[in-house]
Amino acid sequence: AQSVTQPDIHITVSEGASLELRCNYSYGATPYLFWYVQSPGQGLQLLLKYFSGDTLVQGIKGFEAEFKRSQSSFNLRKPSVHWSDAAEYFCALNNAGNMLTFGGGTRLMVKP
Amino acid sequence: DAGVTQSPTHLIKTRGQQVTLRCSPKSGHDTVSWYQQALGQGPQFIFQYYEEEERQRGNFPDRFSGHQFPNYSSELNVNALLLGDSALYLCASSTPDRGTGELFFGEGSRLTVL
């Protein structure tokens, strides 16, 4: 069975510092992977996606993620965090037919 | 171009009642999926509709049912509400291009069951 794990429930970083959010997955084939962001009271916005090819993918808002098959990971990074990045971040896996399996989420807080 | 729209945005029900939530997909999309997001958790897949039929279903009881209309809009119905049904219900739309998995989400309907 497929699963997605986000080991960090909460992360706090200072504004301007770099950020890495961890995501590990379990799936028997090549996964389609996604990162979504959710601001309080809002729906989910797609940050980036990995289907195949280049393992480093660029997304919106200056985010990037790297797919590492050997580690079953798809970590999200940003070189310099802005206060507006404070939100909940979800990693997700598409196993078949556009059905997403989500991780439990990581809540990012940004210190001024 | 309107994105995915959901209604109502908030509602309060009591145990045992029934609720209907509505979703209009993004223009050009014909597949609608529903997700339940409990407080502090990631979204959980409920079911997906395509061509007015339920195509996939997650691990949810039969109290959860749905419908898709010819214009691709969809409804989620929950009968015999339980306290544990309190959650944000998210609708997502996509094209039937299987494998890409790019979903567009609405802002959700927040259901509180008292």
Side-chain angles (χ1 to χ4, degrees), chain A residues 52-105:
Chain A
S52 64
D54 194 348
T55 57
L56 185 64
V57 294
Q58 303 296 320
I60 63 172
K61 304 184 180 186
F63 285 93
E64 66 178 25
E66 185 172 13
F67 173 65
K68 293 185 177 180
R69 184 189 303 275
S70 62
Q71 299 178 19
S72 297
S73 69
F74 187 56
N75 294 346
L76 181 71
R77 301 194 294 247
K78 187 170 184 179
S80 178
V81 169
H82 187 263
W83 64 267
S84 61
D85 293 324
E88 185 106 26
Y89 291 80
F90 292 95
C91 181
L93 177 156
N94 174 29
N95 44 9
N98 290 353
M99 185 186 95
L100 294 182
T101 298
F102 285 86

Side-chain angles (χ1 to χ4, degrees), chain A residues 16-32:
Chain A
S18 64
L19 170 70
E20 182 169 25
L21 302 182
R22 296 184 291 165
C23 172
N24 295 102
Y25 69 89
S26 174
Y27 188 58
T30 300
Y32 298 115

Side-chain angles (χ1 to χ4, degrees), chain A residues 32 34 36 38 41-46 49 51 88 90 94-105, chain B residues 33 35 37 40-45 48 56 88 90 94-103 105-107:
Chain A
Y32 298 115
F34 306 82
Y36 284 86
Q38 185 177 38
Q42 302 293 312
L44 299 170
Q45 181 183 21
L46 179 67
K49 58 194 176 188
F51 294 154
E88 185 106 26
F90 292 95
N94 174 29
N95 44 9
N98 290 353
M99 185 186 95
L100 294 182
T101 298
F102 285 86
Chain B
S33 303
Y35 288 78
Q37 186 180 16
Q41 297 183 22
Q44 299 288 319
F45 175 75
Q48 180 187 88
Q56 297 188 75
L88 180 68
L90 295 165
S94 59
T95 66
D97 179 13
R98 296 189 177 273
T100 63
E102 182 167 359
L103 304 186
F105 284 84
E107 297 194 349

Side-chain angles (χ1 to χ4, degrees), chain A residues 2-17:
Chain A
Q2 64 280 347
S3 66
V4 176
T5 302
Q6 294 179 245
D8 304 305
I9 298 174
H10 294 96
I11 283 185
T12 300
V13 299
S14 297
E15 191 168 16

Side-chain angles (χ1 to χ4, degrees), chain B residues 1-102:
Chain B
D1 176 26
V4 179
T5 58
Q6 293 186 241
S7 63
T9 55
H10 296 82
L11 69 167
I12 300 173
K13 294 286 187 177
T14 57
R15 282 178 295 176
Q17 286 188 314
Q18 179 264 345
V19 68
T20 298
L21 308 178
R22 297 175 178 82
C23 172
S24 294
K26 181 179 169 63
S27 178
H29 287 184
D30 54 13
T31 301
V32 173
S33 303
W34 287 91
Y35 288 78
Q36 180 196 65
Q37 186 180 16
L39 196 62
Q41 297 183 22
Q44 299 288 319
F45 175 75
I46 304 175
F47 43 53
Q48 180 187 88
Y49 278 84
Y50 171 63
E51 292 188 336
E52 302 180 48
E53 290 187 6
E54 182 182 295
R55 295 290 174 157
Q56 297 188 75
R57 188 179 184 92
N59 188 25
F60 279 81
D62 292 344
R63 297 187 298 108
F64 289 77
S65 63
H67 188 76
Q68 186 178 35
F69 299 94
N71 67 352
Y72 309 124
S73 67
S74 177
E75 288 182 350
L76 164 65
N77 300 291
V78 186
N79 295 321
L81 285 168
L82 304 174
L83 295 179
D85 295 331
S86 295
L88 180 68
Y89 288 85
L90 295 165
C91 172
S93 72
S94 59
T95 66
D97 179 13
R98 296 189 177 273
T100 63
E102 182 167 359

